[in-house]
Amino acid sequence: MNISSKVRLIDVGPRDGLQNEKQPVPAAVKIELVHRLQAAGLKEIEVTSYVSPKWVPQMADNHEVMAGMTRQGGVRYSVLTPNLKGYEAAVLDKPDEIVVFGAASEAFSQKNINCSIAESIERFAPVVAAAKAAGIAVRGAMSCTVGCPYEGDIAPERVAYLAGLMKGIGVERVDVADTIGVGTPRKVQAAIGATLQHFGIDHISGHFHDTYGQALSNTLAALELGVWNFQSSVAGLGGCPYAKGATGNVATEDVVYLLHGMGIETGIDIDALVDAGQFISDHLGRPSGSRVARALLAKRAG
């Protein structure tokens, strides 16, 4: 095992976590959430996306949110850009990183973005080229790397294929995502191993959902391979609209508690993080999806 003494977390709550909420979340609330996350010590935050408001109305306020943030030195602010039109809108707001996304499942790719995996990469190629020419970092989100709601188990070879395509168009780092939360440690390690054929360990992050309660186990499995970048969502916000029953991303609070318990440095103040999660949970009118947050809040209450 080659477990790192430090871990960098990317909180995707403001974007991935909120995008499927039915009730509109005001831009001011999203901005406050970003401010609370960076104050808690998060150094990477996925803020918003530049997609058609027809498909994702929750992200229609992307310009307002990006313009309203008070940026903090040393924090990387990333945004999702599905195509060149989205990139051209995003670049006006000066993101530090843009994110393109593809699936290791052909069926999921067709259901999610109405094209094949190869066609999605062709669509992203000019986006990546434009971003790199502008000095903007590029990350590739690889969804359904262990399981798909339509195809079932995904072979590691499919993950390697997608990772190779991402590398081929100039993507700098990738997320290995268990989008529907069906992964178990060995399956996750196989997906990471496949990705390592094209990307070094420093350029791979783990992104796990907790549908079957395996997200922390899968985080530990990735740590054992040397992965030290992970994505999580404050209060466990988020889910997958194309995967019935898929619950939210693993809660940032739960991952931080695990890492701190292992003596791994994150630079995150867990109490401030819990407060950030409580802030957005209160706004949404439901309890936090983080077990750790609920336990710590109960302890505070005496």
Side-chain angles (χ1 to χ4, degrees):
M1 292 190 294
N2 186 31
I3 294 178
S4 174
S5 61
K6 295 182 180 180
V7 159
R8 170 78 55 107
L9 293 181
I10 306 169
D11 197 292
V12 301
R15 199 283 300 176
D16 190 17
L18 293 178
Q19 69 175 2
N20 297 317
E21 289 292 331
K22 300 301 182 187
Q23 58 174 304
V25 179
V29 172
K30 296 172 183 173
I31 291 166
E32 177 65 16
L33 178 58
V34 170
H35 288 168
R36 285 175 178 254
L37 289 172
Q38 63 189 24
L42 269 298
K43 297 300 181 186
E44 294 201 40
I45 302 171
E46 193 171 285
V47 178
T48 189
S49 64
Y50 293 79
V51 297
S52 169
K54 175 184 176 182
W55 299 112
V56 188
Q58 190 67 257
M59 298 288 112
D61 57 3
N62 41 37
H63 292 299
E64 185 180 355
V65 172
M66 290 293 284
M69 296 185 315
T70 299
R71 300 196 187 202
Q72 185 172 295
V75 177
R76 174 178 282 195
Y77 303 92
S78 59
V79 301
L80 191 75
T81 55
N83 49 40
L84 197 54
K85 182 178 179 181
Y87 168 77
E88 289 168 349
V91 75
L92 300 174
D93 294 327
K94 297 181 170 57
D96 299 308
E97 180 178 62
I98 61 110
V99 183
V100 296
F101 56 91
S105 155
E106 287 288 356
F108 192 85
S109 183
Q110 291 286 354
K111 290 281 188 179
N112 193 15
I113 52 178
N114 301 309
C115 66
S116 69
I117 295 171
E119 288 168 340
S120 73
I121 295 299
E122 289 177 10
R123 184 183 298 173
F124 298 142
V127 177
V128 174
K132 296 184 78 169
I136 300 172
V138 181
R139 175 160 53 90
M142 303 198 305
S143 61
C144 294
T145 60
V146 293
C148 167
Y150 311 107
E151 294 184 17
D153 288 348
I154 297 297
E157 292 77 15
R158 303 303 302 166
V159 181
Y161 170 68
L162 176 59
L165 292 176
M166 290 268 187
K167 187 72 171 182
I169 61 171
V171 168
E172 296 162 346
R173 59 177 183 158
V174 289
D175 317 324
V176 177
D178 178 15
T179 308
I180 60 172
V182 296
T184 50
R186 288 193 176 178
K187 289 181 179 180
V188 164
Q189 288 184 336
I192 293 169
T195 307
L196 282 167
Q197 295 177 32
H198 301 283
F199 290 88
I201 199 69
D202 293 343
H203 304 292
I204 295 172
S205 62
H207 181 139
F208 307 123
H209 285 233
D210 210 28
T211 310
Y212 288 85
Q214 300 298 298
L216 291 179
S217 298
N218 292 336
T219 299
L220 181 57
L223 282 167
E224 290 175 347
L225 292 184
V227 174
W228 60 276
N229 291 284
F230 292 91
Q231 296 177 342
S232 56
S233 180
V234 65
L237 297 173
C240 179
Y242 300 96
K244 187 176 180 180
T247 55
N249 299 288
V250 65
T252 306
E253 300 94 321
D254 295 1
V255 177
V256 170
Y257 185 84
L258 169 70
L259 296 172
H260 287 183
M262 295 175 66
I264 296 173
E265 182 182 331
T266 66
I268 296 171
D269 179 333
I270 195 167
D271 289 317
L273 179 63
V274 166
D275 290 340
Q278 190 61 35
F279 163 77
I280 192 62
S281 297
D282 285 346
H283 176 79
L284 296 172
R286 61 172 183 260
S288 170
S290 162
R291 293 174 217 160
V292 165
R294 295 197 300 270
L296 291 178
L297 288 167
K299 187 176 180 181
R300 281 187 200 173

